[in-house]
Amino acid sequence: MIMEASHQTLVSFYIWIFVYCLAEFSFSSVFSPCKLIRPFHLNGLHRSGDVILGGLFEVHYTSVFPELTFTSEPNKHVCQGFDPPGFRHALTMAFAIEEINENPNLLPDVTLGYSLYDNCATLVIGFSAAISLASGQEEQFVPQTGCFGSPPVLGIVGDSFSTFSIATSDVLGLFRLPIVSYFATCSCLSDRRRFPSFFRTIPNDAFQVHAMIQILKHFDWTWVGLLVSDDDYGLHVAQSFQSELTQSGLGCLAYLEVLPWGENPTELRRIVEVIKKSVARVIIVFAHQIHMIQLMEEVLKQNATGLQWLASEAWTTAVVLQTPRLMPYLGGTLGIAISRGEIPGLQHFLQKTRPGDNYHNENSMIRQFWEHTFQCRFSPTTSWVEAGGAFCTGEEDLQSVETEFLDVSNLRPEYNIYKAVYALAYALDDMLKCEPGRGPFTDNSCAFLQTMEPWQLMHYLEKVNFSVPFGDQVSFDQNGDALPTYDILNWQWLPDGGVKVQKVGIVKKSTFNDEELKLDEDKIFWNFNDNQPPESVCSTNCPPGTRMARQKGQPVCCFDCIPCSAECISCPEDFWSSPLRDLCVPKKTEFLSYQEPLGVCLTTASVLGTISCAVVLAIFTCHRQTPMVKANNSELSFLLLFSLKLCFLCSLLFIGQPRLWTCQLRHVAFGISFVLCVSCILVKTMVVLAVFKASKPGGGANLKWFGAAQQKRTVFALTCIQAAVCSVWIVMASPVPHKNIQYHNDIIVYECLVGSIIGFSVLLGYIGMLAVISFILAFLARNLPDNFNEAKLITFSMLIFCAVWVAFVPAYISSPGKYADAVEVFAILASSFGLLMSLFGPKCYVILMRPEKNTKKAIMARGTK
């Protein structure tokens, strides 16, 4: 079990072994038949057939595994602790396959077989078994014949552990081999990009977490402890549970502790001490059976009573915990369990199990079960005989002994296994019923029995939809998850000292994708003197005359009750109580004001930008006859300067208390001003490209599309589109002023609601589209051979422009109140200054400081490198 905690290292190690084996195969297959480098020694159960399905089950609790080496000698492991229910799980799959083979309406011309392996609750062995199922264990085969056709199995039922399923799916998912788990619940396995071929017939942990929170809500338990196992299952649940509980606002965690793997009495002692010190009476445990066994030993030592336990599906039905010794502590436990089902004929099939029958001859699982049940040996050692041990004859009467193996009164994992096998069978049946020419694959082709591949079966498995004889519907959603349903069980301590596990409710998905919880409280046994549910809160509700005051450094569930004033009245919406709590005073107001330092700075920057545009415009007007100004249509340059001036001025609309006309005008002015500006830049860029194309032989025809009139019409048309967007926005969902009291109880934040997120997004998106097109065209023209190539300036200016507005979006979304307006004003000013300095700074420098370069000859000269 220690392997579980260090699964990441082991998974990586075995993946490298797998890659190494593939490399060995690729190299050796050129020269000689492929040979198995090293066989795995696995406990198995097999039946031949036309199509083989694989299975992975926990038939032993653990194993002793030697140190791994890369030698050619096989590493033999020893599985320990035979688990009769785990063996029943394996035979449930065998039964389902036998039942399908006898069904004339399902796969009538196909005989299913199986290869079932024991993972011994050890990651290394489970991973080895999965690889063996996918690649086979033949000693040698010829590549020319052995590398074609179907793999040894077309689908796998298993594994039971989430960590094992992650390791297996990480590798076999590369080959799209379908894996249908009956007990792996980690929500991480719903990641379709990482696990494309993983399916399951058990709900994932996300739904289990939601179900737990529904139970907490039902009983008003707002202060609870959480214990999880130190593996993928527990750690993912801890993260999900904390997030969901916080978002729901239904409660808080008093503590979160991680239960260790293996023997660690010091850590367990510390955890139980935390439990005893806390006022939380409800404890939720997402862990495995072995964790609870170890934890309860420490609970007994410290006599930690008076607790209400909530059990995850991993240990809700653990019989080993339902003993008279533990019931004083675990009595009244509420647990979430897999839905129970009926499988007619299973018990009769189990009773026919024999180590020497036609189906199971020489299958190691059968022999191990027989030796465990009858305490005998088929191949006894000398020491066994000397100790008085009995021989196994194979004729012992299975019904003469009491064994969990034959107990079919509470079929939960078995029912999921049964559904998983039928899901694969129905998918295979649908695939073989495909009509040639109407198939789902390339050229409308179908899959054939002799050449079918796992990815083809996976295609049909995604669409499977059927009902089992018990009546439940089986299908998978887009993440490979089954329809989620759980039973709510209660551990009841009977007067005679016996234990009864009673179903007291159900939780399932409703029509509207919410969790629906039904509980019959009259059936619930509470392990408290008054037989009533316990109270588990950090602080009780405040009595009349007092109010809640949150305790510093504690979650919201913990608060003190302090006296209210003699007579309390509710203040109007725009008012707040005074410091003495004796009268209502107007709330403070907050908006981006001209009087505050931030508003003054932004206003100053806006005015400076406007003046800068006016100065540049004056310079260009005075030197309008020079080549530098006349180049590339001086009229566009003047229009561009005018639009930049509007951009600077429109930022002033975002400062001051929002009113209806300013809310409506600010975004309209902003959107049209910037589109006018970017449209001028786009047209200037297109003219640069057209001029250089016209300089080539035969390129003169291009200029007729870029005359002065055409340039103006293009700018006008592009600007009209933005004007139309703004008009529709104003008419359909106009921005309006809004008084926000959500940020602070005693402050009114004045802000403008955009009205329509879509309208605002289209406005920004249109500006961004024009900017990106301008950038791309300018970037393509940046190396054209003029001494003064304006495309380089446009490229740099558009780079600054795009960078500013890409950074604006997350900053705007995350900024509350007046700071959102400040962010938008800053983006307007930054992008406007960037365009002004990038496009006109170099030109003004040449005009004023280097007049010798302001000649046609200097501008048109070819640049040197």
Side-chain angles (χ1 to χ4, degrees):
M1 305 299 282
I2 296 176
M3 296 272 184
E4 178 83 14
S6 58
H7 70 277
Q8 295 285 3
T9 303
L10 288 170
V11 170
S12 301
F13 178 75
Y14 265 79
I15 289 176
W16 278 111
I17 289 180
F18 184 66
V19 173
Y20 169 76
C21 294
L22 288 179
E24 284 287 317
F25 161 74
S26 301
F27 179 77
S28 61
S29 62
V30 177
F31 303 101
S32 61
C34 298
K35 295 181 180 179
L36 192 65
I37 296 177
R38 180 175 63 219
F40 296 117
H41 294 272
L42 304 167
N43 297 324
L45 193 64
H46 306 278
R47 185 196 196 281
S48 61
D50 301 325
V51 176
I52 305 298
L53 300 180
L56 299 171
F57 302 93
E58 180 195 345
V59 182
H60 287 82
Y61 291 124
T62 186
S63 70
V64 177
F65 205 90
E67 183 179 354
L68 296 176
T69 66
F70 281 98
T71 64
S72 59
E73 293 298 322
N75 290 304
K76 295 183 179 180
H77 60 272
V78 178
C79 295
Q80 297 178 341
F82 192 86
D83 183 22
F87 182 57
R88 184 175 65 232
H89 297 167
L91 284 196
T92 300
M93 179 172 177
F95 167 75
I97 289 178
E98 297 295 342
E99 187 177 69
I100 292 169
N101 287 336
E102 295 173 1
N103 186 345
N105 299 318
L106 183 61
L107 296 172
D109 300 321
V110 177
T111 300
L112 292 181
Y114 51 78
S115 287
L116 315 181
Y117 285 125
D118 176 12
N119 64 28
C120 299
T122 305
L123 175 60
V124 175
I125 299 173
F127 188 80
S128 303
I131 296 301
S132 297
L133 289 171
S135 61
Q137 290 214 68
E138 292 82 1
E139 293 291 336
Q140 178 173 315
F141 66 92
V142 180
Q144 285 76 6
T145 59
C147 289
F148 296 94
S150 302
V153 299
L154 280 178
I156 296 176
V157 175
D159 205 308
S160 57
F161 290 94
S162 293
T163 296
F164 295 14
S165 296
I166 291 171
T168 301
S169 300
D170 263 335
V171 175
L172 300 189
L174 300 174
F175 308 98
R176 299 300 190 270
L177 181 67
I179 300 173
V180 187
S181 177
Y182 56 92
F183 214 67
T185 60
C186 181
S187 56
C188 58
L189 286 162
S190 296
D191 183 354
R192 222 53 189 155
R193 296 183 63 184
R194 182 178 174 187
F195 308 109
S197 63
F198 181 83
F199 301 82
R200 53 182 155 197
T201 52
I202 184 172
N204 66 32
D205 285 333
F207 178 71
Q208 187 176 187
V209 165
H210 294 160
M212 282 290 189
I213 293 177
Q214 291 296 315
I215 295 176
L216 298 181
K217 178 182 178 182
H218 183 85
F219 293 107
D220 292 324
W221 291 330
T222 59
W223 189 241
V224 298
L226 178 63
L227 306 180
V228 299
S229 56
D230 188 12
D231 55 13
D232 290 299
Y233 169 64
L235 298 179
H236 275 91
V237 165
Q239 182 180 5
S240 177
F241 189 88
Q242 282 183 294
S243 175
E244 292 292 334
L245 189 62
T246 301
Q247 292 180 13
S248 67
L250 297 175
C252 310
L253 282 183
Y255 53 84
L256 167 61
E257 297 292 341
V258 179
L259 298 174
W261 282 94
E263 297 292 335
N264 195 337
T266 303
E267 180 66 9
L268 290 174
R269 187 181 310 113
R270 184 194 66 79
I271 292 174
V272 175
E273 289 173 354
V274 171
I275 293 173
K276 293 181 66 177
K277 291 178 181 178
S278 175
V279 297
R281 296 294 85 197
V282 175
I283 304 175
I284 305 171
V285 184
F286 287 92
H288 303 286
Q289 175 178 306
I290 185 64
H291 293 103
M292 283 303 298
I293 293 173
Q294 296 169 346
L295 177 66
M296 292 313 299
E297 291 299 325
E298 187 61 33
V299 169
L300 262 67
K301 290 179 183 179
Q302 299 193 31
N303 193 31
T305 58
L307 300 173
Q308 175 63 47
W309 298 85
L310 296 185
S312 69
E313 43 74 32
W315 65 278
T316 294
T317 57
V319 179
V320 68
L321 296 170
Q322 299 164 6
T323 63
R325 178 169 170 261
L326 296 180
M327 287 310 289
Y329 304 90
L330 290 176
T333 294
L334 286 175
I336 293 177
I338 307 167
S339 296
R340 177 181 171 275
E342 296 287 345
I343 307 179
L346 177 60
Q347 187 174 41
H348 179 66
F349 179 82
L350 298 177
Q351 291 171 346
K352 294 193 303 180
T353 301
R354 292 290 182 275
D357 62 22
N358 293 332
Y359 291 138
H360 310 305
N361 190 35
E362 299 303 316
N363 284 309
S364 58
M365 281 191 199
I366 300 286
R367 297 196 302 274
Q368 291 166 359
F369 161 71
W370 210 259
E371 290 176 344
H372 170 80
T373 303
F374 295 103
Q375 294 298 299
C376 60
R377 294 290 185 273
F378 284 100
S379 300
T381 60
T382 303
S383 59
W384 172 265
V385 176
E386 291 175 351
F391 287 86
C392 292
T393 64
E395 300 299 326
E396 290 82 359
D397 185 6
L398 190 58
Q399 299 185 48
S400 65
V401 294
E402 186 174 340
T403 172
E404 291 180 73
F405 172 71
L406 296 177
D407 183 7
V408 296
S409 61
N410 194 30
L411 299 178
R412 296 182 187 277
E414 294 85 354
Y415 190 47
N416 281 348
I417 294 168
Y418 187 77
K419 291 189 288 187
V421 175
Y422 266 88
L424 289 168
Y426 272 101
L428 182 61
D429 188 59
D430 292 341
M431 182 169 65
L432 297 180
K433 288 180 179 178
C434 173
E435 299 179 13
R438 302 180 63 180
F441 307 121
T442 305
D443 298 328
N444 297 323
S445 62
C446 296
F448 298 99
L449 183 63
Q450 294 77 14
T451 59
M452 71 176 69
E453 297 184 29
W455 64 267
Q456 295 173 319
L457 181 61
M458 190 186 82
H459 171 83
Y460 284 93
L461 188 60
E462 291 173 339
K463 305 178 184 304
V464 77
N465 192 336
F466 64 95
S467 296
V468 294
F470 192 60
D472 287 347
Q473 193 78 12
V474 179
S475 61
F476 301 104
D477 64 15
Q478 67 274 15
N479 296 321
D481 293 325
L483 182 67
T485 303
Y486 275 121
D487 289 341
I488 309 298
L489 304 183
N490 179 227
W491 292 14
Q492 301 185 352
W493 193 11
L494 303 178
D496 61 0
V499 179
K500 178 184 179 183
V501 178
Q502 174 71 42
K503 178 180 176 181
V504 295
I506 188 173
V507 60
K508 61 182 179 179
K509 282 281 189 182
S510 68
T511 307
F512 301 101
N513 208 32
D514 293 325
E515 289 72 35
E516 181 181 349
L517 174 68
K518 294 182 179 179
L519 276 176
D520 189 349
E521 293 192 47
D522 294 336
K523 293 183 179 180
I524 299 178
F525 166 78
W526 301 105
N527 196 24
F528 301 93
N529 293 333
D530 55 359
N531 196 30
Q532 293 295 319
E535 186 179 66
S536 188
V537 296
C538 183
S539 302
T540 57
N541 293 332
C542 292
T546 61
R547 63 180 180 86
M548 294 187 300
R550 182 173 171 181
Q551 296 177 2
K552 187 176 182 180
Q554 295 295 322
V556 295
C557 300
C558 300
F559 51 85
D560 295 321
C561 297
I562 61 177
C564 298
S565 56
E567 293 183 5
C568 293
I569 60 172
S570 297
C571 292
E573 186 179 33
D574 292 347
F575 290 79
W576 186 249
S577 58
S578 67
L580 297 178
R581 304 293 192 267
D582 55 353
L583 75 160
C584 294
V585 296
K587 291 182 178 180
K588 297 178 181 178
T589 59
E590 181 181 281
F591 54 87
L592 188 57
S593 170
Y594 286 104
Q595 285 75 37
E596 65 178 306
L598 180 58
V600 171
C601 292
L602 295 175
T603 302
T604 303
S606 176
V607 173
L608 286 176
T610 305
I611 295 174
S612 299
C613 288
V615 171
V616 173
L617 184 60
I619 294 173
F620 269 52
T621 302
C622 293
H623 298 82
R624 60 184 180 276
Q625 299 302 326
T626 63
M628 181 61 69
V629 177
K630 294 172 66 177
N632 198 6
N633 195 336
S634 59
E635 293 183 8
L636 277 183
S637 298
F638 291 128
L639 184 58
L640 178 56
L641 284 169
F642 174 75
S643 65
L644 282 174
K645 185 182 295 186
L646 293 179
C647 291
F648 282 114
L649 291 175
C650 77
S651 63
L652 297 176
L653 293 171
F654 293 83
I655 305 175
Q657 182 174 339
R659 304 186 185 282
L660 180 59
W661 70 272
T662 57
C663 288
Q664 292 177 335
L665 187 58
R666 59 169 56 173
H667 287 113
V668 172
F670 156 73
I672 294 178
S673 299
F674 268 90
V675 164
L676 178 59
C677 175
V678 178
S679 298
C680 292
I681 296 173
L682 176 59
V683 172
K684 287 171 72 71
T685 308
M686 296 168 65
V687 170
V688 170
L689 285 174
V691 168
F692 278 97
K693 285 188 176 182
S695 64
K696 297 180 180 181
N702 292 323
L703 283 178
K704 69 178 182 179
W705 301 105
F706 295 93
Q710 287 85 346
Q711 295 175 33
K712 295 175 186 176
R713 282 196 289 268
T714 302
V715 171
F716 178 76
L718 294 175
T719 307
C720 285
I721 295 176
Q722 184 74 309
V725 170
C726 294
S727 300
V728 173
W729 181 13
I730 295 298
V731 172
M732 300 298 293
S734 173
V736 293
H738 172 65
K739 293 190 294 185
N740 193 322
I741 58 174
Q742 302 299 318
Y743 297 131
H744 309 283
N745 289 330
D746 58 343
I747 298 177
I748 299 175
V749 178
Y750 285 95
E751 57 187 11
C752 284
L753 296 180
V754 296
S756 170
I757 298 297
I758 296 177
F760 186 49
S761 301
V762 172
L763 181 144
L764 287 179
Y766 183 63
I767 298 173
M769 181 189 70
L770 295 180
V772 170
I773 294 174
S774 298
F775 173 78
I776 293 173
L777 294 178
F779 182 81
L780 296 175
R782 73 192 188 285
N783 291 324
L784 293 177
D786 256 14
N787 224 6
F788 191 89
N789 183 2
E790 194 172 18
K792 294 181 180 179
L793 305 181
I794 295 175
T795 301
F796 186 69
S797 65
M798 285 294 99
L799 187 61
I800 295 175
F801 185 90
C802 293
V804 169
W805 288 103
V806 168
F808 160 78
V809 175
Y812 182 85
I813 293 174
S814 60
S815 300
K818 68 178 183 179
Y819 297 103
D821 292 335
V823 167
E824 189 163 359
V825 172
F826 181 83
I828 292 172
L829 295 177
S831 56
S832 299
F833 273 114
L835 294 176
L836 180 64
M837 298 302 295
S838 299
L839 293 174
F840 295 98
K843 294 180 180 180
C844 290
Y845 173 79
V846 172
I847 293 172
L848 299 177
M849 308 300 295
R850 303 294 296 273
E852 70 273 11
K853 290 188 176 182
N854 191 4
T855 63
K856 184 174 181 181
K857 181 179 180 181
I859 293 176
M860 297 301 294
R862 295 277 176 171
T864 58
K865 294 186 179 179

